[in-house]
Amino acid sequence: MKEHLHLLIDATVANPPKSAEEAKAWLDNLVTEVGMEKLGGPWAVYCDDPENRGLTGQVWLTTSHSCFHFWDNCPTPFAKFDIYSCRHFDIGKVVRLFDEAFNIVNGSWTFINRNDATAHPEITQGTIR
């Protein structure tokens, strides 16, 4: 049976990616580290809209996707990240990779196990720092 697993990270960060190339390299590394396969991408682009300034990145996986947006035009940059997969992955490893690259100041993670479509999803949450 395929799994349906979704991890979300909300965090303030000290070291947001400085370029689209850096963001794409991190997504490439993420795919390798969690043992998945790319279907497309990664892509990253800087959004210069004054209300939404920051880097957006995405990679399509053969088992679904991963994406993020970093807002960097504020006193404390922050990020929203998610990875959804029909294949098991290590939550701790993904959080650690995100923290090592972007230096989480504080944040939280939410893991949603959507395996049983007939019941409510199983939700686990934690804090970072």
Side-chain angles (χ1 to χ4, degrees), residues 17 19-44 57-61 65-68 81 83 93-94 97-98 101-102:
S19 68
E21 291 73 27
E22 180 183 343
K24 290 189 285 188
W26 186 82
L27 287 165
D28 263 336
N29 184 59
L30 172 70
V31 172
T32 300
E33 289 291 325
V34 296
M36 296 195 186
E37 296 177 33
K38 287 189 295 183
L39 183 61
W43 299 277
Q58 178 182 55
V59 63
W60 297 342
L61 306 170
H65 75 276
S66 182
C67 59
F68 58 66
F81 164 85
I83 182 170
K93 186 175 209 173
V94 174
L97 290 167
F98 196 87
F102 308 118

Side-chain angles (χ1 to χ4, degrees), residues 22-126:
E22 180 183 343
K24 290 189 285 188
W26 186 82
L27 287 165
D28 263 336
N29 184 59
L30 172 70
V31 172
T32 300
E33 289 291 325
V34 296
M36 296 195 186
E37 296 177 33
K38 287 189 295 183
L39 183 61
W43 299 277
V45 64
Y46 192 84
C47 175
D48 59 6
D49 179 320
E51 299 298 317
N52 202 37
R53 192 176 320 262
L55 261 168
T56 291
Q58 178 182 55
V59 63
W60 297 342
L61 306 170
T62 57
T63 55
S64 198
H65 75 276
S66 182
C67 59
F68 58 66
H69 188 85
F70 286 86
W71 289 265
D72 62 5
N73 67 330
C74 44
T76 305
F78 66 101
K80 304 286 185 179
F81 164 85
D82 82 305
I83 182 170
Y84 187 97
S85 180
C86 297
R87 186 169 151 203
H88 178 78
F89 59 90
D90 183 330
I91 300 165
K93 186 175 209 173
V94 174
V95 172
R96 182 176 42 77
L97 290 167
F98 196 87
D99 186 26
E100 287 173 354
F102 308 118
N103 194 8
I104 296 172
V105 175
N106 63 49
S108 64
W109 57 266
T110 301
F111 181 70
I112 306 167
N113 181 335
R114 304 172 191 268
N115 283 332
D116 187 351
T118 63
H120 294 291
E122 182 183 320
I123 300 172
T124 309
Q125 296 180 303

